Every structure is written in C-alpha cells, then in structure tokens.
C-alpha cells in the first residue's frame, strides 16, 4: 500500500494553536501542558521545530510589548505583572528545557516509531503483493486445471465438454490475470486446442466409419432375412385369409400389418449400430463453423468405401454378399439422412447410389455375357429383386435396376427359347406319330390337365370309355407340358419386373410365337418332308390342328393369368391404378397363322402322298389312246383305285373337312393327270374313241363321288368334261364364238383344246381312210383357228 502523506502546518495554523494554549492558569498553580503534547508531537513528526521556536519567540516578544505597554499605563500593575512575568519566564524557560527534553525524547521515540511504521507499511505492502500474487497464481492454476482437464476430456471422448471448457476460458469475465502475458499466451493457444479436439473427434468418426464398413454387410443380411421373414409371414396370412390373396408384400394392407411388428435392423438383439461418434463429430464441427468441411470429408470417405464394395470383375457366386453389403450401406445412409438434419443432402446420397448401381449392373452384365444357363439369370434376378424390395422402403430410386432386370429378362427368355426350342424339336423328331393310348383314369386326367383343347372335345374325351386312343400323339402332350414349364419359368422371372407388365406381355407373346413357329411348326414341316406313310401324316395333321386350338386356348389362359399377375402388381404399386394406359388387352399369339399355313402344307403333303400312291397303283399313261372302238364300261382299274382311296382316306383320324380336302386333291389329281394325257407332250396322237372312253371313266368317277357322299367334288372334272365335249360334239366353231365361249365353256383352256385338236389331227393324218383323213384335216384347221384366238392365251 502507498505511504500515508503527513499533514503540513502553515504559520497561521501554528499561531492559532499557540493562541489556544494557556501556559498559566491564574486560578491554578499547576502547569497546563496537556494541550502542548500533541502539538509538540505533530511538530516533531513534521520536523517544524525551528518554525515552532520562531513562533514561540515571536509570541514572547509580542507579550513583552504588551506588558511594556500595560506597565506604562499602570506601573503598579506592571510591577506586579513583571513579577508575574518573571515567574512566567521562569516557567517558560523551564518549559523550553522541558520542551527541548521532550523534543529530544520524542525525536528518539518518534524515529524508532517511524522506522517501525515504515517497516510495517513495507511489510503490509509485501503482504498485499503476496496476496495478489497468490490470487493470481490460484486463478492461473484454475485456468491451467481447466486446460489440463480439456486434454483428459479429449482422451475420454468428451469432446463437447472439452470444447465448452475452452469457450468458458475465452469468455471469462475480466480478472487479475486477464491482462497478463500468461493469459494472452493461453488465449493464443486455444485454436491449437480446438484443433486437437477437432482431430480427436475426426479420428473417432474415422474409426466409426471403419466399423460401419465392416457392419454394413451384417445390416444388409439382417435386412434381407427380415424381408424374407416378412414375405413368409404375409404368404401364410394370405393363405389363411381369402381377402388378402390379392395383396402382396409392400401393399397398403401389408404395410399396416408390418408396422406393428417392424424390425429395426440397426438396433436389435443381434446388432446395435451406435451413431454417437458421427453425431458428436457433426456437433463439434458445427460449433467450430466447419460443418461444410465435414460434409465434404464424409462424402469423400463414403464414396471411397462404396467404391471398395464391388470388385472387378464381379463374381456372380458372391453377388448376394455384395448386394447385402450395398443394402446395409444405404440403409445406414438413410438413417444418417433422417437423424442428422441438414448434414447430409439427398443429392449426395443419390450420387453414391447412382454410381454403385451403375457399377453393379455393369459388373453383372459383364459376368453374364458368357453365361448360357437360364437358372443363373433367374438367381441373379431373385437376388436383385430382394435387393430392390429392401431398398424401396428407404425411398431409393430403383428404376435403373428394374430396367436392368427387364433387359436381363429379355436375355433370360432368349436362353429359355433356345433351351425349350431344342426340347420341342427333340420331342417332335422322336414322336412315332401314333395316337396316344390311355387306359387309366389317372393318366387321362394328368394328360387333360396339361393339354389345351376345347371344352367340347375335353368333355367328349372324359365321357368316352377307357381304354381309348386320344386324337393327338405323344408330341402334342409333351409340347404342352414343356410350354407350361416355359410359362412357369417365364413368370418366375417376371415376378421381379412387375411394373413393366405390358412389356412382359409382348415378350411372352413373341417368345411363345418363336417357339411355336420356329421350333414346332418348322420341325413339323421337316417331319412332313421325311414322312412317307399316310397315317403318320394324318396324325401330324391332327397334331397341327390341336396346336392351332391350343394357341387359341392358351391366349385366353395367359390373359387370365396376366390379369391376376397385373392385379398383384397394382396392389403392390397403387399408383399404377390411375394409369389406364399401363393395362394391356388380350394376349395374342400370331403362331395360329403359322399353324394354319403348316396345316395347309400338311394337307398338301397328305394329298401329294395319296396322289403318289395313285400313280403307283394306276398307270394313266398305259391307256390305249387310239382304240379301234369305244368302250361301254369304265376302266376296271378305276374300281380298284376308288376302293383303295376310300379305304385310305376314311381310315384317317382327321376331321371330315380334311378328308374332304384329301378326296378333292385326289380327284383333282386324277382329272389333271387325264387332262395332261390329253393335252400334254407325252402322248402324241389320240382318236375320238379314246376321249369317249375317258368321258365314260369321268362319269364313273362322278358316280363314285356320289356314292361316298361327296358329289360336290365333281367340279374337279368340269374342265376335262368340257374340253372333251368340244371335239366329241364337233362344237369347235361354237367355241370360237366369244359369247358362247364365256357362257358354255368358261373352264376350257385354249391351249389345251388346241393341243387336243392337234393330236386328233395327227391321228387322222396317219390314217389311210379318206374319212379319217378328212376328219384329221378338219381337226388341224380347228386347232389353227383355236390357236389364233386372242386375248385368250389359256
């Protein structure tokens, strides 16, 4: 503490004090020195002795002057006063001596007292400085303790408390240490301490990221298991409740049920994912104003981790593990999005999602390039479908994966086409083309459950007694069985691409058409070319007819199946209910036209084979074309020919319309053969007797058609009959008239009539009989006249 200032006495103060002192009290014989002591003490303390003495001397002199004046006025009184003064003087001298003695004593005592006082003051100042130093040190110790505890809190992971402690230090109210170099140095070290906290919390988050990478696969596995358990549970409920049959996993009804039993894949008995390190890091960085830096760092770290999930090339055997890890990765990202406010943006997560989905699809596509097993494609699809189902609940866009599944679907179906195409070809090639024989009810029911036939035919077969021969052969039954297997495998894959059912309809139609046309129709055509027995060809005709019916029945069955499949899709995706354009119409198969064409070729092949048999059994070229007389009865070979033809055709297990076509083909073939004999180049000359005999044979053939109830097929002989009638009736001139030609002889062909007349002319020219020669010349002229007709070039 600073020394107290000593009071200074002026001359006037001393005079006033002395005037107040009465050295002698007239009424008292004792000295009045009490008031003098403090004054002397003060004078001694202030070291004003000389001034005080001068003042005393001046007082004495003034008093002497007063006494002298008084003595002049009153001598007697003066004398007495002098005596008194001498007494006063003696007392004054004595007082001087006393004062001097007191001064010396006081000086001695005061000097020691001043030294003690000075020492005391110095001691108090030192004590005050010590107290201040102690307080300052204690404040420093408290601050240092806070700083030390900051380091300990960082080690203990109490980052927010450590940061708050630093904030408390910086925001301390002014104290004795506020302006000290120590405190300023401490304040300058706070940024480095904050950096230490930042580094520590960052290291904690980095360690958390490493742990999250290892736990992502487990999260994905639990998610997949939960989804599979959820699917099994819902399937069981659907089987018990008919009202839920059309509701699938993910539908509104199922979601309500699922929410009651929701399984948290991030916090359960098997796994608990702690997001505290991330939350702490976000909080610390946000407090430090460095949140954007953390966002960029986190995004970079997660991108690096996502890049490490999928190897190159991608092994398909490990695809489930990879998709589970991806699932866990993005479920964690979804949770971070939901729980960290604005720390993560959906756009950043979508960037990671788009990149990893692109790498996944490219990796799978490259791995499947050399794959020819449809089962591998199906397993990939099932894995991707589970992957899609697991992440759709987290609002991730799966359109690209769905489109990729659809592209895989096309390749899968191509492989199915190749696989089943070979099976169809093998079945048709190995078929014995004999009716399928059934002798047991169970076998019959098993066959009827597989084949597609009309209800009328189905009921007829059921009502027929056993054993019985079914209309179709084994190839039709086996092909229907394979088609059902193909459709089953087709829809096994289609279940994962439900949102593209219109494309599925088109793909299914095209695939079935390819199988029917390329594998069945073309193989049947090949069998037709190598089959030489009429019954086998007839069986092929029956099979083709049933394939044609099967196409129509299959269209209805597939439409019904598609409708049920579509209903499930709409229930799974209610947003599609308002999209009327998404719903397709009936499923159409264009293979019916191919079977119709194949059926026509089969009938032609059947007719051709019958005609070839006709050629072998009846040699039309062996006719006598220049007989000497006309016959009254038909050729005996025709009776054998008709008998063989009716036996063969009527025994065929084909519809009446196809039998009718077989008869029509056979009789047209006979007519064409006879016409070619009359007008062709193989026979050079013919006489009227021969064509008259041909006319008798034609009459016999037409009568035969009437006997078998097919008189309408007699039109096959119109050209032959009309052409023969012209020379027999000498109606050539009538034929030359255009009006008559159009009305009476529309079926006659000019060139054939000309050729017939030329053959008759050559015969007449070769005869010696003038009448015959004359007839021959007339035929020649008629042939020339017919040849000049225009524009008829028939």
């Amino acid at each position: 503490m600073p020394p107290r200032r000593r009071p200074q006495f002026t001359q006037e103060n001393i005079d006033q004090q002395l005037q107040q002192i009465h050295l002698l009290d007239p009424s008292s014989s004792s000295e009045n020195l009490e008031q003098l002591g403090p004054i002397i003490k003060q004078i001694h303390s202030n070291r004003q002795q000389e001034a005080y003495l001068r003042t005393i001397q001046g007082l004495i002199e003034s008093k002497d002057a007063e006494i002298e004046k008084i003595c002049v006025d009153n001598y007697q009184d003066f004398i007495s006063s002098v005596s008194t003064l001498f007494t006063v003087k003696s007392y004054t001298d004595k007082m001087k001596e006393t004062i001097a003695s007191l001064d010396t004593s006081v000086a001695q005592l005061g000097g020691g007292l001043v030294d003690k006082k000075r020492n005391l003051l110095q001691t108090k100042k030192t004590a005050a400085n010590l107290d201040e130093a102690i307080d300052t040190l204690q404040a420093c110790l408290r601050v240092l303790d806070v700083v030390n505890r900051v380091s300990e809190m960082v080690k203990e992971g109490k980052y927010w408390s450590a940061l708050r402690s630093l904030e408390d230090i910086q925001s301390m109210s002014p104290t004795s240490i506020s302006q000290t170099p120590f405190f300023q140095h401490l304040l300058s070290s706070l940024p480095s301490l904050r950096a230490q906290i930042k580094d520590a919390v960052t290291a904690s988050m980095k360690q958390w990221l490493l742990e999250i990478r290892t736990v992502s696969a487990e999260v994905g596995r639990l998610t997949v298991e939960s989804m599979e358990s959820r699917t099994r549970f819902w399937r069981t409920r659907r089987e018990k409740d008919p009202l839920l049959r059309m509701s699938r996993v993910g539908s509104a009804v199922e979601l309500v049920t699922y929410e009651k039993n929701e399984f948290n894949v991030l916090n359960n008995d098997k796994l608990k994912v702690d997001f505290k390190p991330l939350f702490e890091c976000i909080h610390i960085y946000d407090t430090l104003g460095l949140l954007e830096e953390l966002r960029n760092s986190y995004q970079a770290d997660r991108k690096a981790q996502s890049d490490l999930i999928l190897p190159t090339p991608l092994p398909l055997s490990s695809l489930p593990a990879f998709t589970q890890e991806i699932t866990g990765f993005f479920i964690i990202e979804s949770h971070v999005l939901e729980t960290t406010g604005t720390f993560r943006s959906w756009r950043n997560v979508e960037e990671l999602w788009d990149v990893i989905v692109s790498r996944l699809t490219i990796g799978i596509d490259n791995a499947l390039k050399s794959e020819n097993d449809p089962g591998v494609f199906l397993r990939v699809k099932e894995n991707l479908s589970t992957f899609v189902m697991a992440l759709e609940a987290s609002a991730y866009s799966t359109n690209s994966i769905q489109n990729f599944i659809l592209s895989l679907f096309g390749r899968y179906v191509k492989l199915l086409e190749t696989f089943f195409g070979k099976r169809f070809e093998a079945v048709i090639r190995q078929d014995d083309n004999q009716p399928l024989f059934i002798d047991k009810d169970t076998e019959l029911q098993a066959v009827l459950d597989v084949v597609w036939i009309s209800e009328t035919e189905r009921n007829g077969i059921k009502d027929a007694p056993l054993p019985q021969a079914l209309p179709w052969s084994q190839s039709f039954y086996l092909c229907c069985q394979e088609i059902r297997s193909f459709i089953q495998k087709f829809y096994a894959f289609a279940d994962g691409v439900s949102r593209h059912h219109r494309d599925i309809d088109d793909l299914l139609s095209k695939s079935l058409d390819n199988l029917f046309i390329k594998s069945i129709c073309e193989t049947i055509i090949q069998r037709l070319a190598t089959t030489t027995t009429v019954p086998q060809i007839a069986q092929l005709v029956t099979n083709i007819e049933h394939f044609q019916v099967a196409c129509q029945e299959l269209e209805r069955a597939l439409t019904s199946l598609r409708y049920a499949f579509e209903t499930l899709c709409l229930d799974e995706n209610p947003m599609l209910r308002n999209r009327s354009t998404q719903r397709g119409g009936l499923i159409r198969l264009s293979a019916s036209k191919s079977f119709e064409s194949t059926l026509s070729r089969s009938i032609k092949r059947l007719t051709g084979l019958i005609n070839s048999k006709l050629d072998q059994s009846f040699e039309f070229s062996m006719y006598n074309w220049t007989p000497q007389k006309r016959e009254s009865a038909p050729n005996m070979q025709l009776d054998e020919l008709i008998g063989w033809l009716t036996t063969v055709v009527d025994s065929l297990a084909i519809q009446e319309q196809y039998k009718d076509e077989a008869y029509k083909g056979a009789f047209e073939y006979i007519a064409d053969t006879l016409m070619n004999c009359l007008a062709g180049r193989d026979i050079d000359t013919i006489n009227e007797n021969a064509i008259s005999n041909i006319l008798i044979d034609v009459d016999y053939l037409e009568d035969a058609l009437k006997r078998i109830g097919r008189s309408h097929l007699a039109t096959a002989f119109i050209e032959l009959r009309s052409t023969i009638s012209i020379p027999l009736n000498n109606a050539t001139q009538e034929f030359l008239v255009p009006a008559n030609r159009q009305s009476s002889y529309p079926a006659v062909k000019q060139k054939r009539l000309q050729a017939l007349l030329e053959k008759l002319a050559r015969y007449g020219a070769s005869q010696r009989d003038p009448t015959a020669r004359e007839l021959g010349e007339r035929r020649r002229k008629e042939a020339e006249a017919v040849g000049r007709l225009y524009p008829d070039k028939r």
Side-chain angles (χ1 to χ4, degrees):
M1 295 178 61
R4 221 165 16 182
R5 296 185 64 183
R6 296 169 180 164
Q8 297 294 324
F9 297 98
T10 63
Q11 190 66 41
E12 294 178 356
N13 297 137
I14 297 173
D15 291 342
Q16 291 176 358
Q17 292 177 2
L18 290 177
Q19 288 175 2
Q20 295 175 359
I21 299 173
H22 300 282
L23 297 177
L24 295 174
D25 186 357
S27 62
S28 176
S29 60
S30 62
E31 297 178 346
N32 186 11
L33 300 178
E34 285 128 357
Q35 295 180 357
L36 185 62
I39 293 175
I40 294 174
K41 182 179 179 181
Q42 291 178 0
I43 290 171
H44 180 75
S45 299
N46 295 335
R47 298 180 182 181
Q48 292 179 322
Q49 295 93 336
E50 294 298 329
Y52 181 72
L53 290 175
R54 285 195 302 272
T55 302
I56 292 296
Q57 186 62 39
L59 178 62
I60 292 171
E61 291 176 353
S62 66
K63 292 297 182 180
D64 286 340
E66 289 179 0
I67 293 171
E68 186 177 356
K69 183 178 178 181
I70 293 170
C71 287
V72 173
D73 294 336
N74 193 349
Y75 181 77
Q76 291 298 326
D77 293 335
F78 175 75
I79 294 299
S80 61
S81 296
V82 168
S83 176
T84 301
L85 287 173
F86 277 115
T87 302
V88 170
K89 183 178 179 183
S90 63
Y91 277 105
T92 301
D93 292 336
K94 187 178 180 179
M95 185 183 64
K96 286 181 181 179
E97 292 175 1
T98 302
I99 290 172
S101 175
L102 288 172
D103 182 63
T104 302
S105 177
V106 169
Q108 291 176 353
L109 294 174
L113 183 62
V114 168
D115 292 337
K116 290 181 180 180
K117 182 66 175 180
R118 185 181 295 112
N119 292 334
L120 179 61
L121 292 176
Q122 186 63 37
T123 301
K124 288 183 177 180
K125 183 177 181 181
T126 301
N129 290 337
L130 288 174
D131 291 340
E132 183 178 1
I134 290 171
D135 293 340
T136 302
L137 287 174
Q138 288 178 344
C140 292
L141 287 175
R142 286 194 295 271
V143 174
L144 288 174
D145 181 62
V146 171
V147 174
N148 184 57
R149 281 190 292 111
V150 166
S151 300
E152 293 178 356
M153 284 186 285
V154 170
K155 292 179 182 179
E156 295 172 359
K158 300 178 180 179
Y159 308 110
W160 173 241
S161 299
L163 190 61
R164 283 294 302 273
S165 297
L166 295 183
E167 297 297 328
D168 292 342
I169 293 173
Q170 190 169 12
S171 60
M172 284 179 59
S173 58
T175 60
S176 58
I177 67 169
S178 299
Q179 304 301 322
T180 61
F182 164 77
F183 189 74
Q184 297 303 320
H185 174 72
L186 187 63
L187 290 179
S188 65
S189 67
L190 292 183
S192 64
L193 293 175
R194 290 192 183 95
Q196 291 179 13
I197 296 174
K198 172 191 167 186
D199 293 341
V201 75
T202 302
S204 174
M205 189 197 70
K206 297 286 186 181
Q207 181 62 33
W208 177 81
L209 285 174
L210 290 176
E211 296 173 357
I212 284 297
R213 182 189 173 192
T214 59
V215 85
S216 294
E218 182 66 13
V219 173
R221 186 184 66 81
L222 291 176
T223 302
V224 170
E225 290 180 355
S226 174
M227 185 60 65
E228 292 174 348
S229 174
R230 175 179 169 184
T231 303
R232 288 192 299 269
F233 170 76
W234 188 246
R235 187 182 297 117
T236 303
R237 285 206 60 185
R238 283 194 310 174
E239 292 174 354
K240 294 180 180 179
D241 190 349
L243 297 177
L244 301 177
R245 293 286 173 85
M246 305 308 291
S247 298
R248 300 188 62 187
V249 174
S251 64
V253 177
E254 191 274 338
L255 284 176
V256 173
T257 305
Y258 175 65
E259 288 178 357
K260 299 178 182 177
N261 304 284
E262 187 171 359
F263 176 74
N264 189 345
V265 296
L266 299 176
N267 187 5
N268 51 75
D269 296 337
K270 297 180 180 179
L271 179 67
K272 294 184 184 298
V273 181
D274 185 11
F275 290 86
K276 180 181 177 181
L278 176 63
F279 297 156
E280 283 184 338
C281 192
I282 293 173
H283 193 38
I284 296 300
Y285 270 78
D286 189 24
T287 304
L288 295 175
L290 301 174
L291 192 58
E292 187 63 29
E293 177 185 338
L294 179 62
R295 284 196 189 100
N296 298 333
S297 174
Y298 183 86
Q299 177 72 3
D301 290 339
R302 292 300 273 168
K303 184 180 184 305
Q305 287 185 343
S306 66
D307 291 340
L308 295 174
I309 295 177
L310 297 176
T312 303
L314 181 66
L316 292 179
S317 59
S318 302
L319 182 60
F322 296 141
T323 54
Q324 287 176 9
E325 188 170 356
I326 295 173
T327 300
F329 181 95
F330 284 100
I331 285 178
I332 290 173
E333 282 300 300
S334 179
H335 184 77
V336 172
L337 270 173
E338 294 173 359
T339 56
T340 57
T342 59
F343 171 67
R344 291 288 279 162
S345 68
W346 182 249
R347 182 177 59 83
N348 290 337
V349 179
E350 277 188 331
E351 288 179 1
L352 297 178
W353 171 254
D354 292 340
V355 170
I356 201 165
V357 166
S358 176
R359 290 187 59 208
L360 177 65
T361 53
I362 291 174
I364 294 175
D365 186 62
N366 292 333
L368 290 174
K369 282 184 178 178
S370 59
E371 186 59 56
N372 295 320
D373 183 6
V376 175
F377 280 78
L378 184 59
R379 287 192 293 272
V380 170
K381 166 259 160 186
E382 290 173 349
N383 187 265
L384 291 180
S385 296
T386 305
F387 174 63
V388 168
M389 192 181 302
L391 288 177
E392 274 183 337
S394 300
Y396 288 101
S397 174
T398 58
N399 290 332
S400 58
I401 302 179
Q402 290 283 8
N403 293 332
F404 177 69
I405 292 176
L406 187 61
S407 67
L408 291 183
F409 195 8
R411 294 165 61 182
Y412 169 79
V413 172
K414 287 294 182 184
L415 292 177
L416 284 184
E417 286 182 26
T418 302
F419 175 77
F420 281 95
K422 294 178 179 178
R423 308 253 330 232
F424 288 142
E425 292 173 4
V427 166
I428 294 173
R429 288 195 179 100
Q430 296 171 7
D431 189 18
D432 57 2
N433 289 328
Q434 298 294 327
L436 185 61
F437 187 78
I438 298 295
D439 57 359
K440 295 181 181 178
D441 288 334
T442 55
E443 293 179 357
L444 178 62
Q445 189 59 44
V447 172
L448 293 179
D449 289 342
V450 170
V451 298
W452 287 283
I453 56 177
S454 65
E455 285 300 319
T456 303
E457 185 177 15
R458 186 182 298 273
N459 294 333
I461 293 174
K462 287 182 178 179
D463 295 338
L466 293 176
Q468 65 171 308
L470 299 178
W472 56 83
S473 67
Q474 188 178 16
S475 62
F476 175 71
Y477 163 69
L478 293 179
C479 284
C480 289
Q481 197 174 50
E482 295 297 336
I483 290 170
R484 289 184 181 274
S485 179
F486 172 83
I487 294 173
Q488 181 182 6
K489 291 182 180 297
F490 180 93
Y491 276 107
F493 200 111
D495 188 38
V497 286
S498 56
R499 291 182 294 177
H500 304 277
H501 50 272
R502 292 189 67 190
D503 297 327
I504 291 173
D505 294 344
D506 295 338
L507 190 57
L508 179 57
S509 299
K510 292 178 181 178
S511 299
L512 289 175
D513 281 334
N514 289 336
L515 290 173
F516 280 129
I517 295 172
K518 295 182 179 179
S519 301
I520 297 180
C521 286
E522 293 183 1
T523 308
I524 289 177
I525 291 173
Q526 294 173 5
R527 284 297 305 269
L528 284 172
T530 58
T531 303
T532 58
T533 61
V534 174
Q536 287 184 333
I537 293 180
Q539 185 62 62
L540 286 174
V541 170
T542 302
N543 288 350
I544 295 170
E545 180 188 13
H546 281 85
F547 275 120
Q548 195 172 10
V549 174
C551 283
Q552 300 170 359
E553 296 295 327
L554 185 58
E555 285 179 353
R556 288 191 285 271
L558 290 177
T559 300
S560 300
L561 182 62
R562 194 282 313 277
Y563 179 76
F565 179 72
E566 183 182 89
T567 303
L568 291 176
C569 295
L570 290 176
D571 187 76
E572 182 180 6
N573 301 276
M575 293 296 293
L576 295 179
R577 294 187 183 276
N578 297 325
R579 303 180 187 177
S580 58
T581 56
Q582 289 293 324
R583 306 191 70 173
L586 297 176
I587 295 179
R588 296 297 185 186
L589 297 177
S590 60
S592 296
K593 297 180 180 179
S594 297
F595 280 117
E596 184 177 353
S597 175
T598 305
L599 184 60
S600 299
R601 296 183 63 169
S602 301
I603 296 299
K604 290 180 180 179
R605 172 63 177 163
L606 178 63
T607 304
L609 192 59
I610 291 174
N611 294 342
S612 66
K613 297 297 183 181
L614 292 176
D615 271 343
Q616 295 174 8
S617 61
F618 190 83
E619 295 291 339
F620 293 96
S621 61
M622 299 302 293
Y623 259 68
N624 184 3
W625 298 107
T626 57
Q628 296 299 317
K629 62 177 182 177
R630 297 183 180 186
E631 300 290 342
S632 59
N635 194 321
M636 296 302 296
Q637 293 184 6
L638 291 177
D639 188 55
E640 297 177 3
L641 184 145
I642 295 301
W644 176 85
L645 183 61
T646 55
T647 301
V648 170
V649 175
D650 290 343
S651 65
L652 297 178
I654 57 178
Q655 293 186 22
E656 285 298 318
Q657 60 177 355
Y658 303 134
K659 292 181 180 180
D660 198 65
E661 289 185 17
Y663 275 119
K664 180 181 178 182
F667 282 99
E668 285 179 349
Y669 176 77
I670 294 172
D672 287 340
T673 302
L674 292 174
M675 193 70 235
N676 288 332
C677 291
L678 294 176
R681 297 180 180 180
D682 294 338
I683 299 172
D684 189 56
T685 58
I686 297 176
N687 61 16
E688 280 74 2
N689 295 333
I691 59 177
S692 176
N693 295 336
I694 291 296
L695 188 58
I696 293 174
D697 291 343
V698 170
D699 292 337
Y700 174 79
L701 292 174
E702 288 180 349
D703 291 338
L705 287 173
K706 292 178 182 179
R707 289 196 304 271
I708 62 177
R710 304 182 190 275
S711 57
H712 60 282
L713 298 180
T715 55
F717 300 103
I718 290 177
E719 181 189 1
L720 179 61
R721 182 181 289 278
S722 297
T723 304
I724 291 175
S725 66
I726 292 175
L728 288 179
N729 298 327
N730 294 317
T732 304
Q733 294 302 320
E734 183 181 352
F735 177 78
L736 294 176
V737 178
N740 296 331
R741 191 164 60 248
Q742 294 296 329
S743 60
S744 301
Y745 308 100
V748 176
K749 296 179 180 178
Q750 171 192 329
K751 290 187 177 296
R752 288 187 172 185
L753 178 58
Q754 181 185 359
L756 176 59
L757 292 173
E758 288 175 351
K759 291 182 179 182
L760 292 172
R762 282 194 292 272
Y763 176 78
S766 66
Q767 299 299 311
R768 296 181 180 180
D769 184 9
T771 303
R773 293 178 66 86
E774 182 181 355
L775 180 59
E777 181 62 21
R778 190 176 68 187
R779 299 302 186 201
R780 183 185 65 79
K781 291 179 180 180
E782 289 175 351
E784 290 177 355
V786 171
R788 289 193 298 267
L789 291 176
Y790 182 83
D792 190 0
K793 297 182 179 180
R794 294 180 296 173

